[in-house]
Amino acid sequence: MIQVQLPDGSVKEYADGTSALDIAKGISERLAKACVAAEVNGTIVDLVRPLNEVPSEGPLQFKLLTEKDAKAVGVLRHSTAHVMARAIMRLYEGVGLAFGPTTGNGFYYDFDLATPISEDDFPKIEAEMQKIANEAEPFERFYLDRDKAIEFCRDLKQDLKVEHMQTGLSAHETVSFYRQGEFVDLCRGPHIPDAGRIKAFKVLSVASAYWKGDANNKRLQRVYGTAFFSKDDLKEYLDQVEEAKRRDHRVLGKQHNLFNISNDVGQGLSLWLPKGASIRATLEDFIKKELLQRGYTPVYSPHIGRVEMYETSGHFPYYRESQFSPIFGHDAGQLVDYWIRKINEGNLQNAEEKQFAETAKIMGCEVAGDALRASTKEDKIKILHDWERTQERYLLKPMNCPHHVQMYKSQQRSYRELPVKLAEFGTVYRRENAGSLNGLLRVRGLTQDDAHLFCTPDQVEEEFKSTLDLVKFVLGSVGLDDYRVQLSLRDSKNKEKYVGSDEGWNSAEATLRHVLESVGLPFTAQEGEAAFYGPKTDFMVKDCIGREWQLGTVQLDFNLPERFNLEYIGPDNKPHRPVMIHRAPFGSMERFVGMLIEHFAGAFPLWLAPEQLRICPVTDNANEYAAKVQAQFRAEGFRVTTDLRSAKVNAKIRDAQLDLIPYMLVVGPKDAEAGAVSIRDRIGGKDLGMLPMAQAIEMLKKEAIERTVRQVVKSKFRSFDEDQGEMFAG
RNA sequence: GCUGGUGUAGCUCAGUCGGUAGAGCGCGUCCUUGGUAAGGACGAGGUCAUGGGUUCAAGUCCCAUCACCAGCCCCA
């Protein structure tokens, strides 16, 4: 017998071999039909799977999942991935199956297939999938011992599955398969009961991917698709994808002259054009004021710093590959640096080393001969390292923290002055892979709205809370109030990727968890996402069409204070180690503005709009009055321009409307006579009528000062980026 | 960085079979002086991404490089 606890708390007993479907049928036939899968003790299982297969102490926590449950759609998508794979195997010869997991809003399946699949092939793949859906065959789970399973897959000529079982699944004694008609796949499951449940799906795109994500491995074709329980949901999703394309900040940025990334300047290096710069400056002014009120002190630091400093902090060794090469003050610097690396790699030939030494000598490195003659690897490296340290070596700064640490150290600190909060819009440089650059969202030079808080261990919780509060406030002020927090923890299996002691990490992670719980912020923990020096809380912010962005971050750091020997004098008159909090509410100005462009689709609210008002004189006769109006609004702090073209007012209004100017001030003889302006609202194109100057100024000022966000999006989109908890891999 | 695709006027794009380049928008000048989404005429703008090659002849075919786009990898 098995004991099952239903969501209402009642516990019932069923015979061994009872499935979720049996239980559902026991409740009602209709419920049984509406069910997709079941959640048992937190894991999702097939409806038809005997429940006694789920190990449990005490009664099974049982819940039926219907089409309405967010978790159910993941099951549907994974099954659709199987159906797609089946369709592709029917259409092509020699299809090798790799993995076919679900993603945030769909699924993909990787195929090892000689024939390239192109977009033109999608209709026939979809047609075949539809056929399979119509056949409505069940998904059947079965088990094999691993050895048998390997034989089985070998017979099926599924070499990748064989390899996976020999490596990734080597610890498993038995493995599960799913059969659906002639299609069999090694798969953990779960699946929907039968393919007839698949009603709305689409093959979306094809791209290349590598077996197990490793570029040294075989190249596969990854076919993406998505599925929903209803055609309406599918359409809504596809509409959202279209809407996202329409909002692309790279397109809008070009159209409205917000920013430019010029090849002549360099990849990933953004140029803020006047209008984009205006948005950024407005945001920066806003934050600066807020920080002053919250006890931060602004500081400035240079764009480069000595390599040694970043060696101490750990940034240089940890991120060497994604940094620009150091700036060497000595001609031989780069050569010696390369030489050391070769020695470290341990495959340096004698002849090669001789050449290094000779060249370095010619370039003026006088210790090159000594290094060549030194007997051990360690001695060589020491000689070269010592020489390097006497030379100038600068790094374009990849992070602001070491600079701020030095500021903290520049004077003796008492516990009385803590927390010290140093804030800077600090520009940092990172050599991101060329292939991952993306408009303003991923750049090589970026400015963080950065600050570092140095506090006593006792202050950590409170300061951490207050920074979370700041992030919430700042996001709210631009109308972003839908977000969740991701608690990014260390990867407990790869501790060597991080600096610092276990105790330090454990207590830092516990502190973050505790604070998040105490302030009641919803959060999800994610292992392996921490920074190398400490755990983070990242704000995952949803924009108005439901997409999630990783923006602000608050990080706790016990390590840099240790590495830089930071101290403060405590009430006991003894030195103590402070704790650092790193935080950036926006993250980077580039990324944040890029996101805002997409969030507002280029139509910024009054307080952020680069051009807030445009004066449209009705005729040339009104130009003189327009100039007076402009001067008055400028004096009140508005960003305003006047359209002086000899065009009809209709044309001026049309252009202002398309330029997404929040308000147009139409002025003609009537207004001049009344000392008024006629206001047109961009939203809805409403004519607000003639208002006396003073009144118009007051009304617009109020909206700007209150940072009112009147409109973000016309359409109603919901989030498709929901975390579905589990990923299904097949 | 890897794989694939793309690169023609300021922007969006057309350019057939290899025969010295075109549209719309924008821009400039002139006419027009109009009250809430496009008034008209004329004009200027291109080393067809860059460098090679094939050819009597290359925007078009081939090779390399660079950049961009999509995906992968990465993201302090």
Side-chain angles (χ1 to χ4, degrees):
Chain A
M1 294 299 271
I2 46 173
Q3 284 196 316
V4 172
Q5 181 166 25
L6 300 175
D8 64 6
S10 64
V11 176
K12 293 190 177 166
E13 290 209 335
Y14 294 94
D16 282 349
T18 302
S19 70
L21 190 62
D22 297 331
I23 297 178
K25 276 183 182 157
I27 298 169
S28 88
E29 258 326 300
R30 260 180 74 188
L31 178 63
K33 270 198 188 131
C35 285
V36 177
E39 189 174 349
V40 182
N41 285 357
T43 47
I44 303 174
V45 299
D46 302 324
L47 278 185
V48 295
R49 195 167 162 194
L51 292 175
N52 53 328
E53 287 185 12
V54 181
S56 179
E57 290 173 25
L60 293 164
Q61 301 298 313
F62 180 84
K63 186 179 176 231
L64 287 162
L65 298 177
T66 67
E67 299 188 355
K68 295 204 174 68
D69 287 288
K71 286 174 181 168
V73 80
V75 180
L76 172 78
R77 285 173 183 165
H78 183 47
S79 298
T80 312
H82 274 223
V83 166
M84 183 177 79
R86 187 178 174 191
I88 284 173
M89 287 182 94
R90 283 183 179 180
L91 294 167
Y92 298 86
E93 284 294 313
V95 179
L97 298 172
F99 294 123
T102 56
T103 61
N105 40 32
F107 61 83
Y108 64 79
Y109 210 115
D110 286 346
F111 302 102
D112 178 15
L113 173 60
T115 326
I117 295 176
S118 84
E119 230 167 273
D120 304 335
D121 303 320
F122 293 175
K124 74 175 182 215
I125 296 172
E126 286 171 352
E128 195 61 40
M129 289 169 71
Q130 190 57 58
K131 248 166 84 189
I132 295 168
N134 294 344
E135 288 159 13
E137 288 176 294
F139 287 87
E140 293 164 330
R141 183 185 178 95
F142 64 95
Y143 301 90
L144 288 177
D145 290 343
R146 205 167 58 87
D147 293 345
K148 286 242 176 67
I150 289 172
E151 272 314 301
F152 181 62
C153 285
R154 205 169 264 145
D155 291 345
L156 292 171
K157 298 207 168 60
Q158 290 302 337
D159 300 342
L160 296 175
K161 298 282 179 186
V162 170
E163 190 203 313
H164 181 51
M165 280 187 277
Q166 286 168 338
T167 56
L169 299 180
S170 55
H172 292 64
E173 282 178 21
T174 58
V175 292
S176 62
F177 285 82
Y178 278 82
R179 180 194 301 280
Q180 209 242 336
E182 82 280 4
F183 180 80
V184 183
D185 194 6
L186 171 72
C187 177
R188 212 171 56 189
H191 281 281
I192 54 175
D194 68 76
R197 296 297 191 94
I198 301 172
K199 298 257 160 49
F201 64 88
K202 192 164 171 58
V203 178
L204 294 172
S205 62
V206 59
S208 77
Y210 296 98
W211 171 238
K212 298 193 168 173
D214 185 340
N216 299 314
N217 287 346
K218 198 163 200 174
R219 200 160 55 79
L220 307 170
Q221 296 193 66
R222 175 168 297 179
V223 183
Y224 285 86
T226 193
F228 290 89
F229 283 114
S230 77
K231 293 227 158 72
D232 286 350
D233 285 353
L234 175 64
K235 183 173 182 307
E236 193 186 337
Y237 171 70
L238 295 175
D239 285 349
Q240 179 187 324
V241 172
E242 280 308 303
E243 181 66 21
K245 261 189 218 155
R246 202 179 67 73
R247 288 163 176 261
D248 189 319
H249 76 287
R250 293 166 297 190
V251 176
L252 293 172
K254 177 155 264 189
Q255 223 168 62
H256 298 289
N257 296 317
L258 300 175
F259 67 94
N260 181 234
I261 296 177
S262 153
N263 195 16
D264 294 334
V265 177
Q267 283 186 292
L269 301 171
S270 46
L271 297 173
W272 293 79
L273 301 175
K275 288 188 175 179
S278 166
I279 296 164
R280 172 170 163 179
T282 304
L283 288 168
E284 288 183 356
D285 289 348
F286 160 64
I287 291 211
K288 279 181 190 163
K289 268 192 207 131
E290 192 57 36
L291 290 185
L292 284 177
Q293 284 179 17
R294 291 174 186 247
Y296 287 77
T297 47
V299 294
Y300 295 99
S301 63
H303 285 220
I304 61 174
R306 290 188 56 175
V307 170
E308 282 75 13
M309 180 169 68
Y310 295 105
E311 280 173 344
T312 306
S313 72
H315 291 102
F316 185 66
Y318 272 84
Y319 291 101
R320 171 120 211 201
E321 294 312 309
S322 48
Q323 284 168 6
F324 286 99
S325 307
I327 303 159
F328 293 97
H330 192 287
D331 288 334
Q334 187 140 20
L335 179 70
V336 169
D337 193 63
Y338 185 61
W339 187 356
I340 295 174
R341 263 191 287 165
K342 290 299 259 188
I343 296 172
N344 270 323
E345 283 169 19
N347 53 3
L348 188 56
Q349 305 298 314
N350 283 341
E352 210 181 341
E353 179 154 46
K354 220 171 144 191
Q355 275 188 326
F356 273 123
E358 276 168 13
T359 316
K361 188 110 196 223
I362 294 169
M363 294 173 94
C365 170
E366 60 288 345
V367 301
D370 300 344
L372 183 66
R373 283 186 299 275
S375 49
T376 68
K377 182 174 153 183
E378 287 70 29
D379 287 349
K380 282 176 197 288
I381 291 177
K382 185 174 184 314
I383 292 170
L384 294 173
H385 250 312
D386 287 349
W387 177 83
E388 268 194 319
R389 283 169 192 286
T390 64
Q391 308 301 325
E392 285 181 315
R393 280 191 307 157
Y394 291 105
L395 206 60
L396 268 170
K397 78 171 163 189
M399 274 300 251
N400 301 303
C401 19
H403 288 86
H404 291 182
V405 162
Q406 298 301 331
M407 294 185 189
Y408 178 87
K409 276 183 90 163
S410 68
Q411 62 203 79
Q412 198 180 40
R413 303 288 182 174
S414 151
Y415 75 97
R416 292 171 184 281
E417 60 183 300
L418 264 44
V420 169
K421 306 177 180 182
L422 307 176
E424 174 177 13
F425 288 90
T427 305
V428 298
Y429 298 89
R430 297 170 187 180
R431 199 176 180 291
E432 303 284 5
N433 277 341
S436 49
L437 298 174
N438 177 296
L440 287 180
L441 301 179
R442 196 76 185 275
V443 288
R444 288 181 162 177
L446 55 129
T447 303
Q448 300 173 312
D449 57 329
D450 209 0
H452 295 94
L453 287 72
F454 301 85
C455 47
T456 69
D458 291 346
Q459 292 170 331
V460 170
E461 286 216 15
E462 196 193 323
E463 288 307 320
F464 195 80
K465 262 186 209 164
S466 79
T467 54
L468 291 178
D469 184 62
L470 172 69
V471 180
K472 287 198 281 188
F473 170 77
V474 158
L475 291 176
S477 63
V478 286
L480 296 166
D481 36 30
D482 190 2
Y483 44 76
R484 67 184 174 90
V485 171
Q486 178 179 293
L487 175 58
S488 300
L489 304 170
R490 173 170 72 145
D491 180 353
S492 53
K493 290 183 206 92
N494 281 308
K495 292 185 179 174
E496 69 285 353
K497 275 168 44 187
Y498 309 90
V499 297
S501 66
D502 270 2
E503 303 83 72
W505 272 90
N506 291 341
S507 100
E509 292 185 353
T511 306
L512 292 198
R513 207 179 266 277
H514 176 76
V515 173
L516 286 173
E517 277 162 5
S518 72
V519 298
L521 263 173
F523 69 94
T524 51
Q526 199 77 43
E527 272 213 2
E529 295 290 312
F532 72 84
Y533 48 74
K536 311 188 285 176
T537 51
D538 296 316
F539 278 73
M540 315 297 287
V541 182
K542 243 172 240 171
D543 71 9
C544 65
I545 63 168
R547 294 171 301 175
E548 220 175 47
W549 304 74
Q550 183 176 330
L551 299 175
T553 177
V554 184
Q555 312 175 359
L556 202 52
D557 182 1
F558 287 86
N559 284 307
L560 290 188
E562 187 78 36
R563 293 181 147 233
F564 283 99
N565 263 318
L566 300 190
E567 287 179 349
Y568 65 90
I569 304 300
D572 56 0
N573 198 26
K574 292 202 175 101
H576 297 269
R577 185 126 297 157
V579 178
M580 269 174 86
I581 295 172
H582 308 234
R583 42 104 287 175
F586 285 168
S588 85
M589 299 314 291
E590 285 75 9
R591 181 155 235 275
F592 194 79
V593 170
M595 185 238 58
L596 274 191
I597 292 170
E598 304 208 355
H599 176 63
F600 290 122
F604 285 89
L606 186 65
W607 79 281
L608 283 172
E611 191 180 341
Q612 297 174 299
L613 310 170
R614 185 175 294 172
I615 301 170
C616 302
V618 172
T619 76
D620 286 355
N621 300 334
N623 283 357
E624 205 175 311
Y625 178 63
K628 268 169 67 183
V629 172
Q630 175 172 297
Q632 233 174 310
F633 272 96
R634 281 225 172 120
E636 296 289 343
F638 284 99
R639 300 180 288 274
V640 52
T641 62
T642 306
D643 188 343
L644 291 170
R645 294 174 304 171
S646 69
K648 278 172 67 167
V649 73
N650 279 356
K652 294 180 186 180
I653 286 170
R654 178 172 193 268
D655 288 344
Q657 189 80 24
L658 293 177
D659 287 345
L660 305 173
I661 315 297
Y663 291 100
M664 289 144 250
L665 306 178
V666 178
V667 298
K670 284 185 244 168
D671 306 275
E673 198 170 323
V677 289
S678 299
I679 304 184
R680 179 191 159 101
D681 185 355
R682 185 195 64 80
I683 298 171
K686 285 191 294 284
D687 181 356
L688 303 182
M690 204 158 80
L691 275 186
M693 277 297 277
Q695 212 178 317
I697 288 169
E698 191 195 352
M699 178 194 108
L700 295 171
K701 236 182 169 175
K702 184 166 186 288
E703 184 176 330
I705 286 170
E706 289 178 356
R707 297 189 292 270
T708 311
V709 178
R710 297 178 51 221
Q711 178 197 46
V712 276
V713 72
K714 284 190 203 115
S715 38
K716 31 68 219 169
F717 287 102
R718 68 193 158 97
S719 171
F720 289 104
D721 275 341
E722 267 335 314
D723 183 19
Q724 277 154 18
E726 232 173 315
M727 297 267 279
F728 307 105

